[in-house]
Amino acid sequence: MSSSSSSSSSGSGAALGSSNLGAWDYVSVAGYFACLAVVAFFASRHRSHDPTAFFLAGRGVPWFAVGASLFSSNIGAEHFIGLAGSGAKSGIAAAGFELVAGGLLVLVLGWVFLPVYLSSGVSTMPEYLKLRFGSDRLKAYLSGLSLIIYVFTKTSAALFSGGIVLREIAGWNVYVSAVVMIVGTGVYTAVGGLNAVIYTELFQTITLVGGGLLLMAIGFTKVGGMQGLRHDYGVPESFFQLLRPASDPDYPWPGMLICIYAGSLWYWCADQVMVQRALSAQSLAQGRGGAHVAAFLKVLPLFCMSLVGVMCYALYPDAQGTFTRLNLFKCIDVAVTSVVSSPQQHTNR
């Protein structure tokens, strides 16, 4: 390992918590938020006061927007941090969650559950539970349980990981970043309803996929393609295995292929956030089309997130000690910002 590469790695680690952005980076970030505001504004202009229009976007969303919204509702900063971190720590196995659970079960939503939900005429999952079992208590129970789950698992994790990303890249305070994200999202959601949410998520999907694929392309250019990544940097072969032995402590294949479906079936087919997107489609065919779009998009995190972490392992071996079970957040600085930066040429290991 050359001394220049060592200094590059240590420099990346030292940058944690400080701003890595230049003037053009801030211009790009400002441009992104400006475009997001424009999309939210135009999506909110013709909002009706009808509850169906507010909560289900008038059931007029086309298939491509449904699919992008399903994907963006699922994928966030926590995926960029988690999948890149696990990729740098142990390889691409964690992406099996995206392929096996998300990629398949979103199709189950479109082809099995969505026809039932549409034929019942409901707008929410608690409403469906009441219709199915005739109990107001079950409706109240699911509403309360869902609220608790959203606050303490989904929303908190998304805000914290988003704050981590902004802290590592821009040097912003985590809590200030969380407050800004809450206020910004709350404003356009309250003003524009689901229609504004879906079309901003469409824009975010384009940004996420485009940025992720660009990051992957830059990384592959630096490591010499997949051939170079596998053979020139001493990356263990196990890093490229999606299915691990049953004795693997983190990703045993029985859990990845069988047990994962229990929680994931609820998430993709009975969770209000996901089902609401599908119910907003113009028709059953449009909803199924959106499910297919989302299933295709769920393949991409394997390449533009998990493999980026593996590239980090290859390009910055001196930082490998930071990729422990309890310190995966540090990977975002190295696996993302350092892969994009211009490191010194590494000698093959």
Side-chain angles (χ1 to χ4, degrees):
M1 187 66 192
S2 64
S3 59
S4 60
S5 62
S6 298
S7 62
S8 175
S9 297
S10 61
S12 297
L16 290 170
S18 61
S19 176
N20 296 317
L21 299 183
W24 285 109
D25 297 311
Y26 282 109
V27 170
S28 299
V29 171
Y32 166 78
F33 283 111
C35 291
L36 195 65
V38 170
V39 171
F41 171 76
F42 280 100
S44 307
R45 282 194 309 167
H46 304 295
R47 182 176 70 84
S48 169
H49 294 286
D50 177 36
T52 301
F54 185 83
F55 289 105
L56 293 179
R59 298 187 188 270
V61 180
W63 58 273
F64 61 87
V66 172
S69 182
L70 285 168
F71 176 76
S72 184
S73 298
N74 171 242
I75 295 292
E78 68 272 21
H79 286 76
F80 273 96
I81 291 177
L83 290 177
S86 61
K89 173 181 174 290
S90 59
I92 65 173
F97 288 103
E98 309 303 314
L99 300 175
V100 176
L104 293 178
L105 289 179
V106 69
L107 296 178
V108 175
L109 168 64
W111 288 90
V112 177
F113 286 82
L114 185 57
V116 177
Y117 296 148
L118 288 177
S119 63
S120 68
V122 298
S123 301
T124 66
M125 292 311 300
E127 184 182 357
Y128 176 78
L129 204 62
K130 177 185 177 181
L131 180 67
R132 177 66 178 81
F133 297 102
S135 173
D136 286 319
R137 287 180 296 177
L138 281 177
K139 178 182 177 181
Y141 169 77
L142 182 58
S143 299
L145 179 63
S146 298
L147 183 61
I148 294 173
I149 290 174
Y150 295 150
V151 171
F152 289 101
T153 61
K154 295 183 180 181
T155 304
S156 58
L159 290 173
F160 180 67
S161 55
I164 290 291
V165 172
L166 292 174
R167 185 191 70 186
E168 302 300 342
I169 295 178
W172 296 358
N173 180 274
V174 173
Y175 300 103
V176 172
S177 301
V179 171
V180 171
M181 287 186 284
I182 291 173
V183 173
T185 305
V187 167
Y188 73 71
T189 301
V191 173
L194 185 63
N195 197 58
V197 172
I198 285 180
Y199 283 100
T200 53
E201 287 176 339
L202 173 61
F203 173 73
Q204 289 167 345
T205 296
I206 296 172
T207 305
L208 283 171
V209 172
L213 293 178
L214 178 61
L215 181 65
M216 179 192 68
I218 294 172
F220 272 132
T221 300
K222 293 186 176 182
V223 300
M226 181 61 78
Q227 190 75 8
L229 181 62
R230 298 192 66 169
H231 301 293
D232 296 342
Y233 290 88
V235 179
E237 190 62 29
S238 62
F239 272 45
F240 301 96
Q241 295 177 353
L242 268 175
L243 292 181
R244 303 286 178 84
S247 58
D248 188 272
D250 297 318
Y251 308 105
W253 71 262
M256 298 297 291
L257 292 182
I258 302 173
C259 301
I260 189 178
Y261 285 104
S264 296
L265 184 66
W266 162 79
Y267 177 78
W268 284 102
C269 301
D271 178 62
Q272 173 63 25
V273 172
M274 295 301 165
V275 173
Q276 188 179 24
R277 271 71 180 165
L279 288 176
S280 68
Q282 296 173 354
S283 64
L284 176 59
Q286 295 279 325
R288 285 174 171 170
H292 281 268
V293 171
F296 168 75
L297 292 174
K298 286 291 288 180
V299 177
L300 299 180
L302 166 63
F303 301 98
C304 59
M305 298 180 195
S306 291
L307 273 178
V308 167
V310 179
M311 294 173 197
C312 167
Y313 178 95
L315 291 172
Y316 297 90
D318 288 356
Q320 290 169 15
T322 67
F323 307 141
T324 63
R325 290 177 186 267
L326 301 178
N327 204 17
L328 287 180
F329 290 122
K330 280 193 175 182
C331 184
I332 192 66
D333 182 63
V334 183
V336 179
T337 59
S338 296
V339 169
V340 173
S341 66
S342 300
Q344 300 292 330
Q345 182 65 38
H346 293 265
T347 57
N348 293 346
R349 293 185 292 167

